[in-house]
Amino acid sequence: MDSLENSSGDERATGRLAPSPTGALHLGNARTFMVAWLSARSRGGKVILRMEDLDHPKVKPFAAEQALDDLRWLGFDWDEGPDVGGPSAPYVQSQRRAIYRRHLEKLVAAGKAYPCVCTRAEVERCQSAPHEGETLRYDGRCRDRFASYDEAIDAANGRAPAWRFRLPDGPDATVVSLDDAFAGHFEQDVAAHSGDFPLARDADGAGYALAVVADDAAMGVTEVVRGDDLLPATPAQTLVQRALGLPTPRYCHVPLVVGPDGRRLAKRHGDTRIATFRAEGVPPEKIIGILAASCGWCEAGQMAALGDLVGRFTLATIPRSPVVFSSLDSFSLLTR
Ligand code: GLU
């Protein structure tokens, strides 16, 4: 289970924080980022900050800037990112479209992507990371329908056709198993889960599965620590990595922070925005303290600075269940 901690080797661990500026950073995002940051830092690794702003129209103006401010205020730092630059710049996905396009062209040339004229709502969803059961299974009706993208344009009634990944043929070719550093062994038949999944909304509109794979590889990310609602989306990403000849990073999917109703933390559960706590004068150490307590690294009610937790990081004490915060002093574990 703790393979991240035990990994040795020459390559420097490189983790990333990948906020989507679709809303304010809240306790849930902060907890996952804390695990991601500490996982890399505890091994002397590097942290990259990448802004994942492809999700129109949900991207909110100022949210990107505010996410960086909130993270810095909480004690996070990063070696590469939109504000500090780095060898893989730009670190903002909307400025990386040319890179995604090149990857898409490679897949098209290899016959691994095809144009699709199916409903707009369905393919638009491809821009976001598919959280909480949002996956739709595609029946492949456009698979062998068009000889070229231009031919699809004619059939699309003025809309831009999307691009889908052509799953490899053969009974086992679509079954992906991974050894997640936290979640353990996970296996999925991508054909049964999503079918040929979307890669791009239109010729230029890279979707999440393509962008995340392209960026993690380009930025030399060796470990992806994120919420476990994205675990089911990971096998599709692995197929894209294989199709493009890119490495698969180590994955570590940790349970989410949820509301008392068991659903992913959101506005309806009250205001848990970091910016609100900050405006109320709550010290960042109080927030990090309760988040760390929920991971078993200190007692509830203790204050903790993020940097001071580097030596205490372990995946072993993180509870297997989602966490509910009732206040900044206490939390409980969701029992299902
Ligand atoms: N930006 C994505 C999100 O907020 C995270 C994707 C990832 O970590 O791979 O959901």
Side-chain angles (χ1 to χ4, degrees):
M1 164 171 126
D2 274 350
S3 60
L4 283 184
E5 286 151 278
N6 298 332
S7 70
S8 55
D10 296 325
E11 94 193 336
R12 190 177 175 204
T14 300
R16 46 43 159 213
L17 312 176
S20 293
T22 52
L25 196 80
H26 56 59
L27 283 180
N29 318 124
R31 184 177 187 260
T32 306
F33 289 149
M34 176 183 71
V35 179
W37 189 89
L38 287 170
S39 174
R41 291 296 192 223
S42 65
R43 282 167 299 136
K46 195 160 91 172
V47 175
I48 293 176
L49 192 136
R50 179 172 76 230
M51 197 52 69
E52 301 207 323
D53 62 344
L54 292 178
D55 192 5
H56 295 297
K58 283 199 246 152
V59 167
K60 308 231 168 45
F62 313 118
E65 208 44 55
Q66 197 192 43
L68 298 190
D69 282 353
D70 288 347
L71 286 168
R72 267 193 234 99
W73 179 74
L74 284 171
F76 288 89
D77 63 359
W78 40 92
D79 306 279
E80 299 172 26
D83 52 341
V84 294
S88 311
Y91 293 90
V92 177
Q93 285 191 326
S94 59
Q95 296 168 18
R96 298 177 62 80
R97 293 187 202 281
I99 298 169
Y100 310 140
R101 201 191 159 100
R102 281 202 295 278
H103 282 95
L104 182 62
E105 281 165 2
K106 224 174 138 181
L107 292 173
V108 174
K112 292 174 179 169
Y114 63 85
C116 166
V117 297
C118 295
T119 68
R120 191 186 188 103
E122 187 189 350
V123 292
E124 273 185 353
R125 215 161 292 171
C126 86
Q127 291 179 114
S128 350
H131 297 286
E132 231 171 58
E134 283 168 357
T135 317
L136 296 173
R137 196 184 164 279
Y138 183 61
D139 62 6
R141 72 183 64 180
C142 288
R143 212 168 209 237
D144 296 305
R145 200 162 152 199
F146 308 109
S148 67
Y149 192 76
D150 283 348
E151 205 182 299
I153 291 177
D154 293 338
N157 290 328
R159 285 188 282 110
W163 286 100
R164 280 185 188 275
F165 186 78
R166 182 187 295 271
L167 289 176
D169 293 322
D172 291 330
T174 55
V175 178
V176 176
S177 49
L178 56 112
D179 277 310
D180 190 274
F182 188 84
H185 181 75
F186 181 76
E187 190 172 284
Q188 182 194 82
D189 182 354
V190 182
H193 179 73
S194 60
D196 290 345
F197 50 88
L199 290 168
R201 184 176 35 96
D202 52 43
D204 254 336
Y208 166 71
L210 181 60
V212 75
V213 161
D215 288 348
D216 284 338
M219 296 174 184
V221 168
T222 63
E223 62 174 55
V224 170
V225 180
R226 59 188 176 190
D228 64 5
D229 57 335
L230 289 175
L231 182 58
T234 307
Q237 292 166 33
T238 301
L239 291 179
V240 178
Q241 285 152 356
R242 289 181 192 163
L244 287 168
L246 299 174
T248 294
R250 279 184 293 264
Y251 287 103
C252 176
H253 288 90
V254 291
L256 293 178
V257 174
V258 297
D261 57 359
R263 296 179 65 192
R264 189 167 188 255
L265 199 62
K267 266 191 207 134
R268 63 179 172 272
H269 299 120
D271 193 349
T272 67
R273 289 175 296 178
I274 302 303
T276 305
F277 295 130
R278 185 176 169 187
E280 286 169 352
V282 175
E285 293 80 9
K286 182 155 177 91
I287 298 170
I288 295 294
I290 190 70
L291 296 177
S294 77
C295 293
W297 305 327
C298 68
E299 296 300 319
Q302 252 181 283
M303 302 273 231
L306 185 62
D308 295 343
L309 294 171
V310 169
R312 288 194 234 168
F313 173 80
T314 170
L315 293 176
T317 53
I318 301 179
R320 317 294 306 173
S321 326
V323 179
V324 187
F325 289 99
S326 29
S327 71
L328 280 183
D329 295 300
S330 66
F331 65 88
S332 55
L333 297 178
L334 192 77
T335 44
R336 289 186 214 257

